[in-house]
Amino acid sequence: MGEITRYINPTVVAHIAFVLVVALTVVGALIAVLLKNIVYNVFGLATALVGIAGLFIFLGSEFLAVMEILIYVGAICIAIVFAIMLSQPMHLRIPPRWRPKVVFSLIVAAVVFVSFSVIITRTPWEAHLIRTHDWSIKRLGHLLLTNYELMFELISLVLLLAIVGSIITAAAVGGARHSGGPTGGKEEGGP
Amino acid sequence: MNSLLVYLFLSLFLFCIGMFGLLQRRSLIAMLISVELMLNAASLNFMAFNRFLAPDPAVGQIVVLFIMGIAAAEAAIALSIILALFRKIHSINIEQARELKG
């Protein structure tokens, strides 16, 4: 270990890793928004989310980095890929674009960026005087079951409602197929 | 380099490019991807304030967990709506969904 740290400065390695993670996030976000192909967009989103997980590690919370990869990359991106495969937007004809819309949205995003950066740079950020430094999962679990119990119950209720609601929404067409006649049933029951 | 302003500007960039994508893209799935980017910008902001300013570092982590739960629920609902809409009008283009107007 001493041999390694004699040749490689750990601070330099940390700086390089930070720049890599930031570059991963920025490039992933650009790919996720600017490219036309929807599959590339999902891969760009996954890249950006991995970068954000790395940033969470730099911010001191390994638990949230693991959760980010598990929930976002592992669940949400895969669900989006499933939706792409089920709806097949690649083969659809794209109608011509009304050009000023792009310009307007660019103007809105630029105005938001400039105004928020002015606010960020002009605010004197001061740390709280008394700060604890307990980042452990144990304290997180204690707080989730004591002070933030309501939040915990609320998020479980929201997730339950989301599951039930998405099943009902996706199955509503299947219910309409009985009233729509036998041809709809053939479409639904294809291999 | 590892300072508060770097994180704030990075999350501002993510938020603005997500907003640009939400306004400019017309595929519903691409708009959902942009919304995910904006939510991640918010959670990155929470974690940055949590690391550099906040008195108790556990609270920001709990808020970020809450945001992740909301994002998962939102993605599930949005994807099922997209699938139902695709079966209805055979397109996921937002400009062809105008027949939903009452």
Side-chain angles (χ1 to χ4, degrees), chain B residues 7-78:
Chain B
Y7 289 104
L8 289 187
F9 272 103
L10 186 61
S11 102
L12 176 62
F13 170 77
L14 282 180
F15 185 83
C16 286
I17 200 159
M19 176 181 277
F20 173 68
L22 184 66
L23 292 174
Q24 179 246 344
R25 300 299 296 272
R26 290 168 302 170
S27 158
L28 277 168
I29 293 180
M31 292 170 75
L32 181 68
I33 289 174
S34 304
V35 170
E36 298 295 336
L37 277 180
M38 290 167 78
L39 283 169
N40 269 284
S43 53
L44 186 61
N45 221 339
F46 268 110
M47 282 300 288
F49 283 129
N50 196 29
R51 163 74 174 75
F52 292 103
L53 304 179
D56 190 355
V59 179
Q61 287 177 291
I62 290 174
V63 173
V64 173
L65 280 179
F66 195 69
I67 292 177
M68 281 182 192
I70 294 288
E74 169 253 346
I77 293 280

Side-chain angles (χ1 to χ4, degrees), chain A residues 39-106:
Chain A
V39 180
Y40 293 164
N41 292 152
V42 180
F43 288 149
L45 178 71
T47 313
L49 294 178
V50 169
I52 288 175
L55 284 176
F56 281 172
I57 290 179
F58 271 99
L59 286 170
S61 175
E62 290 88 0
F63 173 64
L64 278 186
V66 172
M67 281 300 120
E68 175 93 12
I69 291 183
L70 205 66
I71 295 177
Y72 273 108
V73 184
I76 294 183
C77 285
I78 300 300
I80 292 175
V81 170
F82 265 109
I84 289 173
M85 288 193 295
L86 284 176
S87 64
Q88 299 170 343
M90 319 276 299
H91 311 293
L92 299 176
R93 189 185 56 87
I94 301 173
R97 175 185 298 276
W98 191 51
R99 183 59 65 180
K101 264 186 185 174
V102 184
V103 181
F104 285 156
S105 48
L106 198 60

Side-chain angles (χ1 to χ4, degrees), chain A:
Chain A
M1 195 63 200
E3 286 294 315
I4 294 175
T5 52
R6 190 188 301 167
Y7 297 114
I8 304 169
N9 192 349
T11 323
V12 176
V13 175
H15 275 285
I16 292 173
F18 185 74
V19 171
L20 275 181
V21 163
V22 170
L24 208 63
T25 311
V26 171
V27 170
L30 287 175
I31 291 174
V33 169
L34 295 183
L35 291 189
K36 291 276 177 259
N37 194 332
I38 191 83
V39 180
Y40 293 164
N41 292 152
V42 180
F43 288 149
L45 178 71
T47 313
L49 294 178
V50 169
I52 288 175
L55 284 176
F56 281 172
I57 290 179
F58 271 99
L59 286 170
S61 175
E62 290 88 0
F63 173 64
L64 278 186
V66 172
M67 281 300 120
E68 175 93 12
I69 291 183
L70 205 66
I71 295 177
Y72 273 108
V73 184
I76 294 183
C77 285
I78 300 300
I80 292 175
V81 170
F82 265 109
I84 289 173
M85 288 193 295
L86 284 176
S87 64
Q88 299 170 343
M90 319 276 299
H91 311 293
L92 299 176
R93 189 185 56 87
I94 301 173
R97 175 185 298 276
W98 191 51
R99 183 59 65 180
K101 264 186 185 174
V102 184
V103 181
F104 285 156
S105 48
L106 198 60
I107 287 172
V108 169
V111 165
V112 170
F113 188 87
V114 169
S115 49
F116 270 92
S117 53
V118 167
I119 291 173
I120 286 173
T121 47
R122 287 199 180 171
T123 310
W125 303 108
E126 287 174 4
H128 198 273
L129 291 178
I130 308 161
R131 302 185 63 201
T132 58
H133 293 281
D134 192 1
W135 291 82
S136 63
I137 304 176
K138 195 176 173 186
R139 178 166 161 69
L140 211 61
H142 273 297
L143 278 180
L144 270 182
L145 287 181
T146 54
N147 286 2
Y148 296 91
E149 171 82 35
L150 179 66
M151 211 176 210
F152 190 64
E153 294 291 333
L154 207 62
I155 193 67
S156 30
L157 188 66
V158 165
L159 280 174
L160 177 69
L161 283 182
I163 292 169
V164 175
S166 58
I167 289 173
I168 289 175
T169 312
V173 181
R177 135 187 115 192
H178 296 297
S179 61
T183 55
K186 274 178 193 168
E187 286 176 12
E188 295 293 322

